[in-house]
Amino acid sequence: MTRISPETPAGAAAAAPAPWSIRLRDATVRYPNGVVGLNKISLDIEAGEMVSIVGLSGSGKSSLIRTINGLVSLSSGTLEVGDHRMDLARGRELRRLRGQIGMIFQGFNLAGRTTVLNNVLVGRLAHTSVARTLVGAYRPRDRQLAYEALDRVGMLERVYHRAAHLSGGQQQRVAIARALAQEPGIVLADEPVASLDPPTAHAVMGDLRRINRELGITVLVNLHLLDLARGYGNRLIGLRAGEIVYDGPAASATDADFERIYGRPIGDQDLLGGAASSASTASPVSLPGEPV
Amino acid sequence: MSAAEYPGLPAKPGGRWKIWLAIGIIAAITAVTLAPGIGVDFSLDAILRNWRNGTEKIGQLLVPDWSFFPRTIAPLWETIQMAIIASVIGAIVSVPLSMWAARLTNPNPVTRGIVRTLLNIVRAVPDLLYAAVLVAMVGVGALPGIIALVLFNVGIVVKLVSEAIESGDPGPGEAARAAGATQTQINRAALLPDIWPPFINQALYAFELNVRASTVLGLVGAGGLGLLIDAVRTFYRYDQLSLIILEILVVVVLIDWASAVIRKRVK
Ligand SMILES: Nc1ncnc2c1ncn2[C@@H]1O[C@H](COP(=O)(O)OP(=O)(O)O)[C@@H](O)[C@H]1O
Ligand SMILES: [Mg+2]
């Protein structure tokens, strides 16, 4: 099974795009109902960072992630991704920028009744004409990128399976392949393992870390479990009520830091447990085989 | 008032009176329509008086004129063809229209409203009326029947499928939007795959209805068996009419069965 690795020829063939930085200045998100999702946030994320974002439910984690690819628009403030003003982008330009930003969801968001391949090809839509999309005639290079992405997450042999017939962990890997097929500069993940059992959760988090380390892509992951946040992120951002209340290295964040972010004592419900994550070791952990 | 029952109990949501109002209105309308003088002329008396006449006709209906069969084949086949052609055209037209009519696949409230309003109008007109008007416009034959059935099909398929789209999972579409897809691409690549089953279901259902409807459309000159039914009826040939009814019955049962088999496989 081919895995992502700097030496993999497949990885070299697809000229990996440069990772993107993210720059937010006084960014506020106020929803139409008046709820403030983000409150005057300023944040710099360098290209190639792996960032865990933690906070209680409702603290603004999803708002932050969804702002970065323009699914939620800023009410005020500015947002730059790479060298581009995301907050000013509209129409074609907005779609072009979104095409460079992969997104992974808690619920996988695959079209269940079609094949794994067709789902991964959704990652190529920003580079595919509407006419080609309508008749399903993707270019050979786009198919090639889809196969490579599936190979990287170990799902190539499922390429013609129906997405709905896969297990949760497999579906999330297909979703990661869909993001990778975009050849993204940034990957955003919104609670990517909240619907998975502990071993599968660690496997998927391992995949995300590998994307960051071996492809150099900037990765932002929303999490609510502190051991995952500490174990897989290099940097930790804590949100409370739409504001950044912690920003520092992930590995050295103490339980007291988490209690400050959460505003309450931490307990077992804040930990996933399961396979120990090697946060400090630099070498990539080998994944367990196919999770269930 | 709620505070008396239990402290802090929120106010009861209103709306129950609406149900009672609806029941009251329906009861009132029923009473009016049956009232002598104003409403429908419904009298047991008249039914009894005509009974003798009726039993005679039923006697004839019970003995089909089998020798009439060869003359029914061509019109029967035309009826089935009308239903098939109309169902296929209606289904093809319904795919984009359903997507224009559903919020998930068309976030633009203006175009969505226009499509929905047009479809409400299309649905409000009975198919027999379409057929009658179209016969006047394009002449007697299968063509006005087919057009009438297409309009009928589009009306129901688009309504039912756009409702199925609304209740579907927005997740795949959101993922495609996040990947930089246009709305058309989102609809085609991420949402259409999961819309197929309800779509096939409703298209087959429309086809079943078409076989029945197309037999009647001929009564106003829109082709198929209806033309023949009209002819034998004018000559009081109830034995021939009963053969036609029998044939329709067999065809309808066969098509319902076939469509049930297909639907089960699509699930
Ligand atoms: N589409 C929306 N409309 C209105 N309010 C929203 C919307 N999305 C999120 N919110 C509100 O914004 C706040 C932050 O939510 P969210 O970013 O989803 O937090 P988290 O992902 O950390 O749970 C919450 O109070 C939530 O209710
Ligand atoms: Mg969230």
Side-chain angles (χ1 to χ4, degrees):
Chain A
M1 182 182 323
T2 323
R3 288 292 176 191
I4 326 163
S5 145
E7 303 85 34
T8 317
W20 276 2
S21 59
I22 301 165
R23 207 172 318 282
L24 282 159
R25 286 290 172 273
D26 295 323
T28 295
V29 167
R30 184 175 286 107
Y31 290 105
N33 62 1
V35 174
V36 175
L38 293 181
N39 193 4
K40 293 203 115 200
I41 280 188
S42 292
L43 177 64
D44 281 286
I45 291 170
E46 297 309 317
E49 279 195 88
M50 172 114 187
V51 183
S52 298
I53 300 163
V54 297
L56 290 176
S57 175
S59 57
K61 304 186 295 294
S62 299
S63 301
L64 176 57
I65 284 272
R66 297 165 68 84
T67 296
I68 291 169
N69 65 0
L71 284 182
V72 166
S73 14
L74 286 182
S75 312
S76 64
T78 61
L79 164 63
E80 273 177 55
V81 291
D83 298 329
H84 313 275
R85 278 292 293 275
M86 190 75 185
D87 55 326
L88 299 181
R90 298 285 180 276
R92 184 187 296 265
E93 172 69 359
L94 177 61
R95 291 196 301 273
R96 196 183 66 77
L97 292 177
R98 279 178 179 164
Q100 307 288 316
I101 304 174
M103 185 157 192
I104 294 155
F105 303 81
Q106 174 177 350
F108 323 133
N109 289 10
L110 302 179
R113 300 189 60 91
T114 189
T115 59
V116 163
L117 177 61
N118 279 334
N119 271 288
V120 176
L121 283 167
V122 165
R124 298 305 304 161
L125 288 180
H127 304 273
T128 304
S129 69
V130 172
R132 277 187 179 279
T133 310
L134 285 177
V135 294
Y138 294 90
R139 277 172 308 212
R141 178 182 136 77
D142 294 319
R143 288 176 188 278
Q144 210 58 42
L145 285 169
Y147 300 142
E148 271 173 34
L150 280 169
D151 203 8
R152 280 184 181 139
V153 294
M155 290 298 295
L156 189 57
E157 71 246 52
R158 305 298 172 112
V159 61
Y160 299 121
H161 284 231
R162 262 196 196 187
H165 291 173
L166 304 177
S167 71
Q170 291 172 329
Q171 289 195 34
Q172 195 59 299
R173 288 189 164 172
V174 172
I176 292 174
R178 176 176 62 195
L180 284 180
Q182 291 177 240
E183 301 188 289
I186 301 172
V187 165
L188 309 169
D190 194 356
E191 302 272 6
V193 299
S195 311
L196 302 176
D197 58 69
T200 314
H202 281 292
V204 166
M205 287 305 299
D207 275 354
L208 289 176
R209 174 160 59 192
R210 207 179 315 280
I211 287 169
N212 168 255
R213 287 189 181 164
E214 299 183 8
L215 298 176
I217 298 170
T218 312
V219 177
L220 269 67
V221 191
N222 280 353
L223 293 162
H224 65 273
L225 297 171
L226 62 91
D227 50 347
L228 289 183
R230 231 185 331 226
Y232 291 94
N234 296 329
R235 175 174 170 188
L236 183 83
I237 291 174
L239 288 179
R240 181 145 51 121
E243 291 178 9
I244 295 177
V245 294
Y246 182 93
D247 188 352
S252 60
T254 63
D255 286 2
D257 290 326
F258 278 97
E259 294 189 338
R260 236 183 347 260
I261 296 169
Y262 286 6
R264 60 160 172 75
I266 57 170
D268 282 347
Q269 78 273 18
D270 301 315
L271 297 167
L272 177 70
S277 52
S278 50
S280 39
T281 59
S283 63
V285 194
S286 72
L287 282 169
E290 284 307 290
V292 195
Chain B
M1 199 171 69
S2 56
E5 241 178 282
Y6 193 88
L9 189 69
K12 212 178 228 174
R16 189 154 280 217
W17 61 273
K18 285 185 195 154
I19 298 172
W20 287 110
L21 184 66
I23 292 173
I25 289 173
I26 291 169
I29 291 173
T30 311
V32 168
T33 50
L34 289 178
I38 343 170
V40 187
D41 187 8
F42 177 86
S43 80
L44 275 175
D45 200 38
I47 295 178
L48 286 176
R49 256 188 285 121
N50 285 320
W51 186 246
R52 257 187 55 79
N53 204 1
T55 45
E56 221 169 85
K57 307 271 158 61
I58 289 173
Q60 285 181 28
L61 278 172
L62 284 178
V63 192
D65 176 7
W66 297 103
S67 68
F68 189 59
F69 181 71
R71 281 210 37 212
T72 62
I73 294 176
L76 179 67
W77 181 228
E78 190 178 46
T79 284
I80 296 173
Q81 280 178 311
M82 280 167 61
I84 292 174
I85 294 170
S87 304
V88 170
I89 296 175
I92 292 169
V93 175
S94 294
V95 176
L97 284 178
S98 301
M99 291 191 152
W100 270 321
R103 188 206 307 259
L104 189 62
T105 40
N106 179 10
N108 184 333
V110 178
T111 56
R112 195 171 67 235
I114 292 172
V115 172
R116 282 189 180 175
T117 308
L118 287 177
L119 282 160
N120 282 336
I121 296 169
V122 166
R123 214 171 22 248
V125 179
D127 48 346
L128 211 54
L129 192 56
Y130 280 130
V133 171
L134 285 162
V135 165
M137 285 167 59
V138 303
V140 174
L143 184 62
I146 290 171
I147 301 174
L149 289 177
V150 167
L151 289 168
F152 171 78
N153 289 350
V154 167
I156 56 169
V157 173
V158 171
K159 176 164 176 64
L160 296 170
V161 171
S162 62
E163 277 168 10
I165 295 174
E166 296 287 15
S167 62
D169 177 13
E174 189 184 35
R177 186 182 310 283
T182 65
Q183 188 64 50
T184 309
Q185 289 181 311
I186 293 169
N187 293 350
R188 166 63 184 87
L191 297 173
L192 186 64
D194 290 352
I195 291 169
W196 276 121
F199 175 72
I200 299 281
N201 259 322
Q202 303 310 344
L204 282 171
Y205 174 59
F207 177 53
E208 291 172 31
L209 295 179
N210 281 182
V211 176
R212 290 185 192 86
S214 59
T215 60
V216 185
L217 292 183
L219 291 175
V220 293
L225 268 180
L227 281 171
L228 196 61
I229 293 177
D230 199 32
V232 301
R233 202 179 50 98
T234 5
F235 293 111
Y236 304 106
R237 291 301 302 268
Y238 291 98
D239 50 345
Q240 295 181 343
L241 183 60
S242 75
L243 179 74
I244 296 173
I245 293 173
L246 208 63
E247 288 174 13
I248 294 172
L249 194 72
V250 170
V251 168
V252 165
V253 167
L254 280 178
I255 281 171
D256 280 11
W257 170 79
S259 128
V261 169
I262 300 174
R263 283 196 220 187
K264 200 170 278 174
R265 299 206 52 179
V266 174
K267 280 239 164 64

